[in-house]
Amino acid sequence: MRKDGLRVECDSPFIVVNGAYTFLGKNGEPQSVPVDEVDAAKTDAANSGVVDRNGVPVAVNLPVVSGPPTGDFLVTFQPPFPRPSGPSWISLGLQPSQERFSVHVPSSYTGREPFGLLIYIDSAEHNDGVPAGWSAILNEKKLLFVAAQGSGDGRKAARRLGLAALAALEMKKNYYIDRDRIYAAGFAGGARVAAELAFYEAGLIEGAILNSGAGFYERVAPARSGQSGGHGMVRVPPKHLAAVRRRTRFALITGSGDSGRGNILDIYHRGYRARGFQARLFDVEGMGHETCGAPTLTQAVDYLDR
């Protein structure tokens, strides 16, 4: 939307390049509108393609080094981008300048003291921000939150891992992050990816919260799940295992009504505990296959913070 009220329609997202909103026109040719001629709030909200729980479009925020103000935002990070520790971003199936992330910044964050970071991997394709009931705990525990869009269970693991790693590195670049409190978390299939991230990025991730899902670096023989073939199968180089066993904590969360409870119990007892990893099980009475409530999240974060 231009400031003069004229609408510009296109079939591709707007990208801010060299002081102008750049996009592909209806004829497929690149076009641009200078930034000072654009109503940024209305344009960015329409451009995001993401709505909040009330159906209102969420604007894309482009953070600077100090980060955006406190609150909840949808952001696109800006170059230059750090190099990943493994394959290139493109080979992982993502384009850093076009990926979008939900970010929560606690109201007490000023940039003068380091805060921890929770990298959340959703099971859904479109993340709606912080899970219900978690914001107050993140604020209390001084944890920033970031979750990628387009990282649901239907996506390839490489892309999901790449987005989580990019989120961690960019949040470190844009905010004052306590490097000893960078945690991965996920729900269902996202929990399995969070476990993989903790194994692959032992120098970056200090702990993981695995909510209604879990993974391990080797096959785990089933005992409680009744499934043949086991589960787990995180493929991690053996050289990483010593570092993970020494420094990384894992909080596994399930409940009496969780359909994946047997798998999680198997992985906890026959995987993490049997192999000497630092792990704790939170088995919540009455909890189903769902994101945990605030009390359980508090306990899990306290365990990782020890």
Side-chain angles (χ1 to χ4, degrees):
M1 177 72 75
R2 296 169 58 107
K3 289 181 179 178
D4 58 13
L6 294 176
R7 295 176 61 88
V8 178
E9 297 185 0
C10 65
D11 296 325
S12 68
F14 290 91
I15 301 175
V16 179
V17 179
N18 296 327
Y21 279 77
T22 303
F23 57 95
L24 293 179
K26 292 292 185 179
N27 60 0
E29 296 295 324
Q31 299 183 30
S32 62
V33 180
V35 168
D36 58 6
E37 297 179 13
V38 174
D39 186 326
K42 293 181 179 178
T43 299
D44 288 348
N47 183 49
S48 74
V50 177
V51 297
D52 64 19
R53 291 183 175 87
N54 298 315
V56 178
V58 179
V60 177
N61 187 287
L62 303 174
V64 294
V65 173
S66 62
T70 60
D72 296 279
F73 304 88
L74 188 69
V75 309
T76 295
F77 295 113
Q78 301 179 77
F81 297 104
R83 291 184 177 182
S85 59
S88 68
W89 298 124
I90 292 178
S91 66
L92 290 171
L94 56 120
Q95 301 182 53
S97 63
Q98 297 183 26
E99 307 296 346
R100 294 176 176 136
F101 301 83
S102 299
V103 170
H104 171 77
V105 182
S107 58
S108 58
Y109 177 81
T110 63
R112 291 191 292 271
E113 85 173 286
F115 271 44
L117 173 65
L118 190 71
I119 306 151
Y120 186 74
I121 304 163
D122 209 332
S123 62
E125 181 71 1
H126 297 289
N127 171 261
D128 291 330
V130 179
W134 286 25
S135 292
I137 308 307
L138 297 176
N139 296 346
E140 175 189 341
K141 300 298 182 182
K142 298 184 177 180
L143 284 168
L144 280 78
F145 171 98
V146 62
Q149 300 291 334
S151 182
D153 285 352
R155 296 282 187 160
K156 292 183 178 179
R159 172 176 167 80
R160 303 176 82 187
L161 288 165
L163 285 169
L166 176 63
L169 295 173
E170 285 297 312
M171 292 295 286
K172 286 176 61 180
K173 183 174 78 175
N174 287 283
Y175 297 91
Y176 189 11
I177 300 295
D178 183 344
R179 297 188 178 188
D180 293 328
R181 298 184 69 227
I182 299 179
Y183 305 139
F187 171 71
R192 291 188 285 274
V193 177
E196 290 194 49
L197 186 68
F199 276 100
Y200 289 140
E201 299 286 353
L204 176 66
I205 305 299
E206 297 292 328
I209 298 175
L210 313 181
N211 189 160
S212 295
F216 197 55
Y217 74 93
E218 64 180 3
R219 186 179 295 273
V220 176
R224 298 166 179 83
S225 65
Q227 298 179 1
S228 61
H231 16 262
M233 298 300 291
V234 172
R235 296 175 294 278
V236 61
K239 64 181 181 180
H240 289 183
L241 294 179
V244 175
R245 188 177 283 111
R246 181 179 66 253
R247 65 185 296 170
T248 311
R249 292 177 182 270
F250 296 86
L252 285 74
I253 300 173
T254 187
S256 57
D258 186 357
S259 58
R261 181 172 180 270
N263 290 6
I264 295 168
L265 294 180
D266 283 347
I267 291 175
Y268 174 73
H269 291 289
R270 294 191 163 204
Y272 288 100
R273 297 299 296 174
R275 297 299 187 188
F277 289 88
Q278 301 180 77
R280 177 169 294 179
L281 176 68
F282 298 88
D283 194 355
V284 184
E285 181 63 32
M287 177 181 156
H289 191 69
E290 59 189 296
T291 53
C292 68
T296 304
L297 178 65
T298 297
Q299 295 174 46
V301 172
D302 286 344
Y303 171 67
L304 300 188
D305 279 344
R306 284 175 46 186

